[in-house]
Amino acid sequence: MRVVIIGVGTYGDVAPYTGLGARLREAGHEVTIAAHEPYAKLVTEGGLEHLPLPGDPLTALTGSLSISAFKEYGEQLVEGLAGIAERDADLLLLGVAGAPGLHVAEAMGVPSMGVHLQPIEPTGDFPPVLSLFQRSLGRWGNRRAARLAFESPVAGPVLVGLSTKMRAGLGLPPTTPRTLYRRRESMRWPVFHGVSPLVVPRPADWRPGLEITGYWWPLRPRGWQPDPVLRDFLASGPAPAFVGFGSLAGARAEEYTELAVRALRRAGLRGVLQTGLRGRMSDDVLGVGDVPHDWLFPRVTAVAHHCGGGTTGAGVRAGVPAVAVPVMNDQPFWASRLMALGVAPAAIPFRRLTPARLAAALSAAVTDPAYRQRAQALSARVSAEDGAAPVVEAVNRL
């Protein structure tokens, strides 16, 4: 089958689909990943076809979260997604942010399935993952709030307007978010979640067709080798701590880097930083660019990160303690899971991050052996899972 995976977002929203796409290719399918231009190399180095999507998600995320920046990005994105309807494809696999692909699949007359990296389906087990609600609203309240995010035009008027425009451009009749959601539920639209059920147990109140499969591990770039400077740094002393703040780090690289260096010195730790600046900061701190987390994380003593879903999974797989520094969106949810699993001390919301707080959390993660013991036990079980297999089986059945 000709499969198009729609991976909208930044690096962490695209990388897991390279691993999933490779498994589908091994099963005999033709795989294309639609992603923004900055992540083309990530896709093609995995031997998969890249379909460029217009717009820059980082601009929308760093534009002070303004409605105008978000709307401009959304308009570009919708135009790019609508263009997929002109391709020859037999199946669309949609990430959370690629949900408008449902309209594209309808226009093409082909099936679609969800391949989500966040558990956004309504449940009483936890509050909506992609909302401002970070505390439980009770089982009924949690479910109701999550469902409103799907059904209510008030929840996202900009998105609803873009969806209406998109359907008109595709020659589809107008509809409402509530109608779309009810249609999706009545047909038990399948959604596979690329996260371990050990990290997020499948909610018992989910309907059939919603599955948590296990992680889809990103591919390493073909022929990748570690920079000799990084390799020599790792070998030159005790295992360092890793500190990284994800795709947004480049916006204030100098400030974030200085904060991390001061924290590492207070904690008496060596460090590898992914905070936007590269090169030697001192004898015991090295700044790096993109380095495969599956190679780097097992070589460090702790991982302090923004709690993006992919970075969270990589840390779990590596079996090292975490320090959770969530920034936005789904990141507080993943931070809460790391704490609940006992592999991280109390999270530090990014807006409250200081060198002293980061140093204290790093020291706790490194010196308390219980964090490492629990992390290693969890890693052994998660690494044994095959998260891609259920998706491949579902595609083969089509």
Side-chain angles (χ1 to χ4, degrees), residues 302-319:
V303 177
H305 60 86
H306 65 302
C307 295
T311 309
T312 298
V316 167
R317 186 188 194 186

Side-chain angles (χ1 to χ4, degrees), residues 20-47:
L20 179 61
R23 289 290 299 278
L24 288 166
R25 183 187 58 200
E26 291 169 5
H29 305 287
E30 299 177 18
V31 181
T32 299
I33 298 180
H36 294 294
E37 195 62 46
Y39 313 109
K41 191 175 180 181
L42 177 66
V43 174
T44 57
E45 285 189 343

Side-chain angles (χ1 to χ4, degrees), residues 291-302:
V291 179
H293 288 166
D294 70 308
W295 183 89
L296 178 59
F297 285 2
R299 292 170 166 81
V300 302
T301 189

